[in-house]
Amino acid sequence: MNKKAKQGAVKSFIGEFVRKKTKAEQRRSEPPLRLFIVELVIFASLVVGYFFLVLIFLANWLKTLFDQSKPLYALVALALIVTQGVVLEVISAVVLKVVESKLE
Amino acid sequence: MDFLISGQHVNPIYLMILGFVVGVFGGFFGVGGSFIAGPGLFAAGVPMNFVVGTDLAHIVGKSIVATRKHFIRGNVDMKLGLIMAGGTIAGTEVGAQAIEYLKRLGQVNKVVGIFFIGVLLSISAFMAWESWLTLKMKKKGAKLRKRKADQSAISNFSARIQRLNLPPMIKLSASGIKQISLWVVIAVAFVGGVFAGFLGGGAGYIRMPSLVYILGVPTHVAVGTDLFEIIISASYGTLTHAIKGNVDILIALVMHTGAAVGAQIGVTLTQYFGGPRIRMAFVPLPLIGAALIVYGLVTGTQLK
């Protein structure tokens, strides 16, 4: 896929990610139970892997930041939880798309 | 695993499962789940001031996940959510200051715990009564209105509230409300904010019923709008509590990994249930939370 096509695919994904869907589109886009379960299992595995590869190593750094500057720690804390929220949601949407394309 | 900021040793699997359960509840009921998460953290040995702040942080991330799903279903009244955010932020600061006062007195666990139990029992009792009345009405063949109008045994109360003429009056089209006083909306939000700042979490257990029974917002829209509003108010709550040293963000991040998975399931389930059944299913949850707090307070031991 060339660069322009990739950019188009990303834009289209973002648009679909946040656009309000009509009732008909909602019914069409709801994955069948089988796909939903597969997506959930893959997503849960990625999340557990993320915990062991990333979160465990943050403890000391966060403690240092907490002791040194509470306002900065507050901003970092909020940024971390918001970023994690958005990233996990994007990952779940991507996983669902990949699973749908592979299994249908 | 050692969580250095709060100085506690908590099993991360316990936190993930707690987050997962809270995520399912959040996606389904449109509440942050702090009536389970807060007591669950307290039962695990986390001091109450950290419970309050950390829970606020955790639900920011979780609510983003669930809100997007409700938004694309048309269940989010953004105008209402943004207006409420202002009142909630003010209320949250009042609640946070109360926590600081209790910390100085060394009474935060006992006072917040007892207050929490009273609130949870009251909410459970009220929602059980209202949901039972509504389902009884439906069984007797009461005429069903359109989906967005929903049905409640005490919808006359919200109709009277909407007729209160306290300018400025606003229109909330996404919720099907022709007009309502701005001050009523801000007052409801402020009270919810005080609960959020004092008890932690997004106070959805106050705000969601308030949206339905006081403002007259349809249940499905109340679920989505509550989640949207929680993102804004809980972000402020996280900042103010973190500055006061009451947030262990690593606990929140670990809980949120479970919540992100649970929210997927919870949101999907709402399409299979009507408003009164969602409200009836909500009833036992605050009781579980109350039981966990009683366990922590009375026995002095915690689940580790």
Side-chain angles (χ1 to χ4, degrees):
Chain A
M1 217 191 236
N2 65 27
K3 196 177 174 187
K4 263 198 174 166
K6 275 186 192 167
Q7 280 174 354
V10 168
K11 266 190 193 166
S12 155
F13 173 77
I14 292 170
E16 280 304 304
F17 193 67
V18 296
R19 184 178 63 86
K20 262 192 215 177
K21 295 186 172 43
T22 62
K23 289 279 182 278
E25 284 174 322
Q26 284 178 42
R27 277 194 292 273
R28 278 199 303 271
S29 69
E30 284 299 332
L33 185 62
R34 184 176 67 108
L35 280 182
F36 180 67
I37 290 170
V38 170
E39 180 256 335
L40 211 55
V41 166
I42 294 173
F43 180 60
S45 308
L46 287 172
V47 160
V48 170
Y50 158 71
F51 166 73
F52 283 106
L53 293 173
V54 178
L55 290 185
I56 276 182
F57 300 106
L58 286 180
N60 288 320
W61 176 69
L62 286 169
K63 173 65 173 155
T64 307
L65 191 61
F66 178 80
D67 291 336
Q68 284 177 352
S69 170
K70 297 272 189 317
L72 183 59
Y73 167 77
L75 288 170
V76 168
L78 186 62
L80 278 173
I81 196 73
V82 169
T83 304
Q84 183 171 290
V86 172
V87 166
L88 289 182
E89 181 61 4
V90 169
I91 288 173
S92 82
V94 167
V95 167
L96 185 62
K97 267 205 174 321
V98 168
V99 165
E100 272 177 347
S101 63
K102 296 282 184 216
L103 294 186
E104 279 185 338
Chain B
M1 181 172 164
D2 288 318
F3 291 90
L4 303 173
I5 292 169
S6 55
Q8 299 300 316
H9 180 84
V10 186
N11 189 332
I13 306 294
Y14 170 84
L15 289 177
M16 280 195 202
I17 292 173
L18 181 64
F20 173 80
V21 169
V22 169
V24 171
F25 292 158
F28 186 67
F29 298 110
V31 295
S34 61
F35 49 84
I36 295 288
L41 285 174
F42 183 63
V46 179
M48 200 47 102
N49 56 305
F50 275 103
V51 165
V52 171
T54 303
D55 192 30
L56 275 166
H58 138 257
I59 68 162
V60 171
K62 186 168 59 67
S63 298
I64 289 173
V65 172
T67 298
R68 186 192 78 85
K69 290 188 181 295
H70 279 286
F71 177 77
I72 62 177
R73 284 170 170 79
N75 289 341
V76 178
D77 186 337
M78 295 192 73
K79 181 177 175 183
L80 175 59
L82 288 168
I83 292 171
M84 288 188 77
T88 306
I89 284 169
T92 302
E93 186 57 36
V94 168
Q97 292 296 339
I99 288 287
E100 290 306 292
Y101 175 70
L102 288 171
K103 260 166 71 177
R104 287 194 290 273
L105 294 179
Q107 293 292 319
V108 66
N109 277 0
K110 197 198 294 187
V111 173
V112 175
I114 291 169
F115 193 74
F116 217 149
I117 289 166
V119 165
L120 293 174
L121 292 177
S122 306
I123 290 164
S124 214
F126 175 75
M127 290 195 83
W129 168 74
E130 187 278 333
S131 307
W132 173 75
L133 271 181
T134 306
L135 289 169
K136 207 169 121 178
M137 269 169 59
K138 284 177 80 172
K139 273 187 191 162
K140 281 186 179 169
K143 203 168 147 189
L144 276 175
R145 298 198 292 274
K146 285 187 311 187
R147 177 184 172 270
K148 272 217 163 155
D150 207 339
Q151 206 172 9
S152 163
I154 57 169
S155 54
N156 286 337
F157 181 74
S158 59
R160 269 188 267 152
I161 294 286
Q162 288 172 20
R163 284 196 295 267
L164 272 176
N165 194 11
L166 286 169
M169 305 298 281
I170 56 173
K171 184 178 173 181
L172 299 168
S173 313
S175 301
I177 294 174
K178 293 199 174 81
Q179 71 163 23
I180 191 165
S181 170
L182 177 67
W183 298 112
V184 170
V185 175
I186 290 175
V188 163
F190 180 82
V191 169
V194 171
F195 277 88
F198 189 66
L199 298 178
Y205 48 83
I206 287 287
R207 193 178 304 105
M208 216 272 279
S210 300
L211 284 171
V212 174
Y213 300 126
I214 298 177
L215 301 187
V217 176
T219 303
H220 288 77
V221 177
V223 169
T225 306
D226 184 42
L227 283 163
F228 169 66
E229 200 277 337
I230 282 172
I231 295 172
I232 304 168
S233 57
S235 296
Y236 174 78
T238 299
L239 285 172
T240 191
H241 272 292
I243 289 170
K244 293 168 173 68
N246 295 332
V247 174
D248 189 329
I249 192 61
L250 194 55
I251 290 179
L253 289 169
V254 174
M255 275 180 70
H256 176 247
T257 56
V261 178
Q264 309 259 344
I265 296 170
V267 171
T268 303
L269 285 174
T270 58
Q271 64 187 315
Y272 300 111
F273 294 89
R277 290 198 189 279
I278 291 176
R279 300 197 292 274
M280 184 57 102
F282 181 87
V283 166
L285 306 180
L287 298 177
I288 298 170
L292 285 169
I293 294 181
V294 167
Y295 177 83
L297 284 176
V298 170
T299 64
T301 58
Q302 277 119 9
L303 311 164
K304 292 236 185 200

Tab-separated table of all heavy atoms in Angstrom, chain A residues 31-67:
chain	number	residue	atom	x	y	z
A	31	PRO	N	-20.717	-6.548	15.609
A	31	PRO	CA	-20.135	-7.813	15.163
A	31	PRO	C	-20.962	-8.985	15.670
A	31	PRO	O	-21.545	-8.921	16.744
A	31	PRO	CB	-18.745	-7.794	15.800
A	31	PRO	CG	-18.869	-6.904	16.972
A	31	PRO	CD	-19.924	-5.898	16.653
A	32	PRO	N	-20.995	-10.077	14.904
A	32	PRO	CA	-21.639	-11.289	15.415
A	32	PRO	C	-20.931	-11.727	16.696
A	32	PRO	O	-19.759	-11.392	16.900
A	32	PRO	CB	-21.420	-12.318	14.299
A	32	PRO	CG	-20.989	-11.546	13.107
A	32	PRO	CD	-20.432	-10.252	13.570
A	33	LEU	N	-21.641	-12.530	17.494
A	33	LEU	CA	-21.116	-12.909	18.812
A	33	LEU	C	-19.754	-13.574	18.709
A	33	LEU	O	-18.838	-13.298	19.480
A	33	LEU	CB	-22.134	-13.823	19.498
A	33	LEU	CG	-21.803	-14.214	20.936
A	33	LEU	CD1	-21.750	-12.976	21.820
A	33	LEU	CD2	-22.847	-15.185	21.484
A	34	ARG	N	-19.594	-14.433	17.705
A	34	ARG	CA	-18.338	-15.176	17.552
A	34	ARG	C	-17.163	-14.210	17.357
A	34	ARG	O	-16.117	-14.338	17.971
A	34	ARG	CB	-18.478	-16.103	16.343
A	34	ARG	CG	-17.300	-17.043	16.081
A	34	ARG	CD	-17.599	-17.974	14.916
A	34	ARG	NE	-17.695	-17.244	13.655
A	34	ARG	CZ	-16.771	-17.300	12.677
A	34	ARG	NH1	-15.705	-18.030	12.821
A	34	ARG	NH2	-16.927	-16.615	11.569
A	35	LEU	N	-17.359	-13.244	16.470
A	35	LEU	CA	-16.299	-12.266	16.200
A	35	LEU	C	-16.016	-11.423	17.441
A	35	LEU	O	-14.859	-11.115	17.743
A	35	LEU	CB	-16.714	-11.331	15.062
A	35	LEU	CG	-16.550	-11.860	13.644
A	35	LEU	CD1	-16.968	-10.797	12.645
A	35	LEU	CD2	-15.122	-12.269	13.391
A	36	PHE	N	-17.098	-11.044	18.147
A	36	PHE	CA	-16.945	-10.218	19.343
A	36	PHE	C	-16.119	-10.963	20.385
A	36	PHE	O	-15.229	-10.380	21.015
A	36	PHE	CB	-18.330	-9.852	19.900
A	36	PHE	CG	-18.282	-9.004	21.136
A	36	PHE	CD1	-17.799	-7.709	21.093
A	36	PHE	CD2	-18.704	-9.503	22.350
A	36	PHE	CE1	-17.741	-6.918	22.233
A	36	PHE	CE2	-18.658	-8.717	23.500
A	36	PHE	CZ	-18.178	-7.434	23.441
A	37	ILE	N	-16.373	-12.254	20.559
A	37	ILE	CA	-15.628	-13.045	21.544
A	37	ILE	C	-14.159	-13.156	21.138
A	37	ILE	O	-13.254	-12.995	21.960
A	37	ILE	CB	-16.258	-14.449	21.725
A	37	ILE	CG1	-17.614	-14.305	22.434
A	37	ILE	CG2	-15.346	-15.373	22.518
A	37	ILE	CD1	-18.428	-15.568	22.464
A	38	VAL	N	-13.908	-13.396	19.859
A	38	VAL	CA	-12.513	-13.505	19.386
A	38	VAL	C	-11.789	-12.177	19.620
A	38	VAL	O	-10.654	-12.137	20.113
A	38	VAL	CB	-12.462	-13.887	17.892
A	38	VAL	CG1	-11.046	-13.763	17.341
A	38	VAL	CG2	-12.980	-15.305	17.681
A	39	GLU	N	-12.462	-11.095	19.265
A	39	GLU	CA	-11.861	-9.765	19.443
A	39	GLU	C	-11.566	-9.503	20.921
A	39	GLU	O	-10.495	-8.993	21.273
A	39	GLU	CB	-12.819	-8.689	18.910
A	39	GLU	CG	-12.287	-7.265	19.037
A	39	GLU	CD	-12.919	-6.481	20.158
A	39	GLU	OE1	-14.058	-6.801	20.549
A	39	GLU	OE2	-12.280	-5.533	20.652
A	40	LEU	N	-12.496	-9.910	21.776
A	40	LEU	CA	-12.341	-9.686	23.207
A	40	LEU	C	-11.149	-10.469	23.765
A	40	LEU	O	-10.369	-9.952	24.562
A	40	LEU	CB	-13.623	-10.118	23.911
A	40	LEU	CG	-14.010	-9.382	25.174
A	40	LEU	CD1	-14.095	-7.881	24.937
A	40	LEU	CD2	-15.361	-9.881	25.669
A	41	VAL	N	-11.008	-11.706	23.308
A	41	VAL	CA	-9.903	-12.550	23.794
A	41	VAL	C	-8.558	-11.964	23.369
A	41	VAL	O	-7.625	-11.861	24.168
A	41	VAL	CB	-10.061	-14.005	23.275
A	41	VAL	CG1	-8.788	-14.796	23.480
A	41	VAL	CG2	-11.236	-14.694	23.970
A	42	ILE	N	-8.483	-11.543	22.090
A	42	ILE	CA	-7.216	-10.970	21.598
A	42	ILE	C	-6.913	-9.675	22.341
A	42	ILE	O	-5.785	-9.437	22.790
A	42	ILE	CB	-7.295	-10.699	20.078
A	42	ILE	CG1	-7.425	-12.016	19.315
A	42	ILE	CG2	-6.067	-9.934	19.596
A	42	ILE	CD1	-7.674	-11.850	17.837
A	43	PHE	N	-7.943	-8.843	22.496
A	43	PHE	CA	-7.752	-7.559	23.163
A	43	PHE	C	-7.310	-7.768	24.607
A	43	PHE	O	-6.387	-7.113	25.086
A	43	PHE	CB	-9.059	-6.764	23.103
A	43	PHE	CG	-8.996	-5.421	23.756
A	43	PHE	CD1	-8.108	-4.454	23.322
A	43	PHE	CD2	-9.829	-5.114	24.816
A	43	PHE	CE1	-8.046	-3.202	23.928
A	43	PHE	CE2	-9.778	-3.868	25.422
A	43	PHE	CZ	-8.888	-2.924	24.988
A	44	ALA	N	-7.963	-8.706	25.299
A	44	ALA	CA	-7.604	-8.975	26.698
A	44	ALA	C	-6.153	-9.462	26.796
A	44	ALA	O	-5.416	-9.075	27.706
A	44	ALA	CB	-8.559	-10.008	27.297
A	45	SER	N	-5.727	-10.285	25.844
A	45	SER	CA	-4.338	-10.784	25.850
A	45	SER	C	-3.354	-9.634	25.658
A	45	SER	O	-2.317	-9.569	26.328
A	45	SER	CB	-4.121	-11.813	24.733
A	45	SER	OG	-5.105	-12.807	24.790
A	46	LEU	N	-3.683	-8.726	24.737
A	46	LEU	CA	-2.803	-7.573	24.497
A	46	LEU	C	-2.708	-6.707	25.749
A	46	LEU	O	-1.630	-6.212	26.100
A	46	LEU	CB	-3.345	-6.729	23.334
A	46	LEU	CG	-3.191	-7.335	21.936
A	46	LEU	CD1	-3.934	-6.499	20.906
A	46	LEU	CD2	-1.722	-7.447	21.543
A	47	VAL	N	-3.830	-6.551	26.412
A	47	VAL	CA	-3.872	-5.709	27.606
A	47	VAL	C	-3.010	-6.319	28.720
A	47	VAL	O	-2.252	-5.610	29.391
A	47	VAL	CB	-5.337	-5.530	28.066
A	47	VAL	CG1	-5.422	-5.100	29.500
A	47	VAL	CG2	-6.044	-4.515	27.178
A	48	VAL	N	-3.105	-7.615	28.908
A	48	VAL	CA	-2.303	-8.282	29.942
A	48	VAL	C	-0.818	-8.175	29.591
A	48	VAL	O	0.029	-7.904	30.450
A	48	VAL	CB	-2.724	-9.766	30.093
A	48	VAL	CG1	-1.758	-10.526	30.976
A	48	VAL	CG2	-4.130	-9.853	30.684
A	49	GLY	N	-0.501	-8.349	28.306
A	49	GLY	CA	0.891	-8.196	27.848
A	49	GLY	C	1.407	-6.788	28.098
A	49	GLY	O	2.542	-6.588	28.547
A	50	TYR	N	0.541	-5.808	27.850
A	50	TYR	CA	0.899	-4.399	28.082
A	50	TYR	C	1.227	-4.173	29.561
A	50	TYR	O	2.173	-3.483	29.906
A	50	TYR	CB	-0.265	-3.525	27.622
A	50	TYR	CG	-0.313	-2.139	28.226
A	50	TYR	CD1	0.615	-1.171	27.877
A	50	TYR	CD2	-1.302	-1.801	29.139
A	50	TYR	CE1	0.561	0.092	28.417
A	50	TYR	CE2	-1.357	-0.530	29.685
A	50	TYR	CZ	-0.428	0.410	29.316
A	50	TYR	OH	-0.481	1.658	29.858
A	51	PHE	N	0.439	-4.819	30.435
A	51	PHE	CA	0.680	-4.668	31.872
A	51	PHE	C	2.082	-5.161	32.233
A	51	PHE	O	2.853	-4.477	32.905
A	51	PHE	CB	-0.372	-5.433	32.675
A	51	PHE	CG	-0.014	-5.616	34.118
A	51	PHE	CD1	-0.071	-4.558	34.997
A	51	PHE	CD2	0.422	-6.839	34.594
A	51	PHE	CE1	0.279	-4.711	36.338
A	51	PHE	CE2	0.777	-7.004	35.932
A	51	PHE	CZ	0.704	-5.938	36.800
A	52	PHE	N	2.435	-6.360	31.745
A	52	PHE	CA	3.720	-6.943	32.137
A	52	PHE	C	4.905	-6.259	31.451
A	52	PHE	O	6.020	-6.280	31.960
A	52	PHE	CB	3.738	-8.454	31.825
A	52	PHE	CG	2.960	-9.256	32.825
A	52	PHE	CD1	1.728	-9.792	32.513
A	52	PHE	CD2	3.452	-9.439	34.115
A	52	PHE	CE1	0.997	-10.508	33.449
A	52	PHE	CE2	2.727	-10.156	35.049
A	52	PHE	CZ	1.497	-10.691	34.724
A	53	LEU	N	4.679	-5.656	30.293
A	53	LEU	CA	5.799	-5.064	29.558
A	53	LEU	C	5.970	-3.573	29.834
A	53	LEU	O	7.048	-3.028	29.612
A	53	LEU	CB	5.602	-5.273	28.052
A	53	LEU	CG	5.690	-6.736	27.592
A	53	LEU	CD1	5.309	-6.854	26.124
A	53	LEU	CD2	7.096	-7.277	27.809
A	54	VAL	N	4.904	-2.903	30.284
A	54	VAL	CA	4.979	-1.441	30.436
A	54	VAL	C	4.713	-0.999	31.869
A	54	VAL	O	5.568	-0.369	32.500
A	54	VAL	CB	3.963	-0.732	29.485
A	54	VAL	CG1	4.010	0.774	29.690
A	54	VAL	CG2	4.266	-1.090	28.036
A	55	LEU	N	3.546	-1.329	32.367
A	55	LEU	CA	3.105	-0.733	33.635
A	55	LEU	C	4.024	-1.058	34.808
A	55	LEU	O	4.273	-0.211	35.664
A	55	LEU	CB	1.676	-1.174	33.954
A	55	LEU	CG	0.584	-0.578	33.048
A	55	LEU	CD1	-0.795	-0.994	33.540
A	55	LEU	CD2	0.682	0.938	32.996
A	56	ILE	N	4.518	-2.302	34.809
A	56	ILE	CA	5.361	-2.731	35.941
A	56	ILE	C	6.584	-1.840	36.092
A	56	ILE	O	7.068	-1.595	37.197
A	56	ILE	CB	5.753	-4.220	35.723
A	56	ILE	CG1	4.622	-5.111	36.250
A	56	ILE	CG2	7.056	-4.569	36.385
A	56	ILE	CD1	4.906	-6.580	36.143
A	57	PHE	N	7.072	-1.301	34.977
A	57	PHE	CA	8.315	-0.530	35.021
A	57	PHE	C	8.116	0.950	35.341
A	57	PHE	O	9.072	1.706	35.430
A	57	PHE	CB	9.066	-0.675	33.687
A	57	PHE	CG	9.427	-2.100	33.384
A	57	PHE	CD1	8.742	-2.830	32.416
A	57	PHE	CD2	10.425	-2.750	34.100
A	57	PHE	CE1	9.054	-4.151	32.159
A	57	PHE	CE2	10.734	-4.075	33.845
A	57	PHE	CZ	10.050	-4.778	32.875
A	58	LEU	N	6.846	1.350	35.503
A	58	LEU	CA	6.585	2.768	35.767
A	58	LEU	C	6.663	3.144	37.247
A	58	LEU	O	6.722	4.320	37.583
A	58	LEU	CB	5.187	3.148	35.251
A	58	LEU	CG	5.006	3.287	33.745
A	58	LEU	CD1	3.563	3.666	33.428
A	58	LEU	CD2	5.942	4.338	33.180
A	59	ALA	N	6.644	2.125	38.125
A	59	ALA	CA	6.448	2.380	39.555
A	59	ALA	C	7.481	3.361	40.128
A	59	ALA	O	7.106	4.361	40.764
A	59	ALA	CB	6.485	1.066	40.334
A	60	ASN	N	8.773	3.072	39.919
A	60	ASN	CA	9.807	3.909	40.541
A	60	ASN	C	9.806	5.326	39.976
A	60	ASN	O	9.951	6.307	40.721
A	60	ASN	CB	11.193	3.274	40.346
A	60	ASN	CG	11.346	2.045	41.222
A	60	ASN	OD1	10.905	2.030	42.371
A	60	ASN	ND2	11.940	1.006	40.682
A	61	TRP	N	9.635	5.425	38.663
A	61	TRP	CA	9.642	6.745	38.038
A	61	TRP	C	8.481	7.607	38.563
A	61	TRP	O	8.670	8.796	38.884
A	61	TRP	CB	9.540	6.586	36.515
A	61	TRP	CG	9.450	7.892	35.801
A	61	TRP	CD1	10.439	8.824	35.689
A	61	TRP	CD2	8.310	8.415	35.138
A	61	TRP	NE1	9.970	9.908	34.982
A	61	TRP	CE2	8.674	9.684	34.623
A	61	TRP	CE3	7.020	7.950	34.905
A	61	TRP	CZ2	7.792	10.479	33.904
A	61	TRP	CZ3	6.149	8.739	34.182
A	61	TRP	CH2	6.528	9.996	33.690
A	62	LEU	N	7.300	6.995	38.680
A	62	LEU	CA	6.146	7.748	39.166
A	62	LEU	C	6.339	8.174	40.618
A	62	LEU	O	5.957	9.280	41.006
A	62	LEU	CB	4.875	6.903	39.025
A	62	LEU	CG	4.344	6.739	37.597
A	62	LEU	CD1	3.243	5.679	37.550
A	62	LEU	CD2	3.837	8.057	37.045
A	63	LYS	N	6.932	7.307	41.418
A	63	LYS	CA	7.168	7.649	42.827
A	63	LYS	C	8.119	8.837	42.941
A	63	LYS	O	7.888	9.753	43.735
A	63	LYS	CB	7.735	6.412	43.560
A	63	LYS	CG	8.181	6.669	44.999
A	63	LYS	CD	7.039	7.035	45.924
A	63	LYS	CE	7.545	7.112	47.360
A	63	LYS	NZ	6.719	7.990	48.179
A	64	THR	N	9.167	8.840	42.112
A	64	THR	CA	10.132	9.949	42.119
A	64	THR	C	9.437	11.248	41.739
A	64	THR	O	9.613	12.287	42.387
A	64	THR	CB	11.292	9.669	41.142
A	64	THR	OG1	11.847	8.387	41.439
A	64	THR	CG2	12.378	10.724	41.246
A	65	LEU	N	8.632	11.175	40.700
A	65	LEU	CA	7.908	12.365	40.241
A	65	LEU	C	6.942	12.858	41.320
A	65	LEU	O	6.823	14.059	41.577
A	65	LEU	CB	7.134	12.000	38.968
A	65	LEU	CG	6.516	13.145	38.163
A	65	LEU	CD1	7.599	14.089	37.672
A	65	LEU	CD2	5.737	12.584	36.977
A	66	PHE	N	6.258	11.932	41.971
A	66	PHE	CA	5.297	12.254	43.036
A	66	PHE	C	5.993	13.002	44.172
A	66	PHE	O	5.465	13.980	44.719
A	66	PHE	CB	4.667	10.959	43.553
A	66	PHE	CG	3.686	11.121	44.687
A	66	PHE	CD1	2.378	11.512	44.433
A	66	PHE	CD2	4.056	10.873	46.000
A	66	PHE	CE1	1.459	11.644	45.467
A	66	PHE	CE2	3.146	11.007	47.041
A	66	PHE	CZ	1.851	11.399	46.773
A	67	ASP	N	7.205	12.539	44.526
A	67	ASP	CA	7.945	13.156	45.635
A	67	ASP	C	8.501	14.519	45.254
A	67	ASP	O	8.596	15.416	46.079
A	67	ASP	CB	9.092	12.236	46.091
A	67	ASP	CG	8.577	10.982	46.777
A	67	ASP	OD1	7.455	11.013	47.300
A	67	ASP	OD2	9.296	9.954	46.756
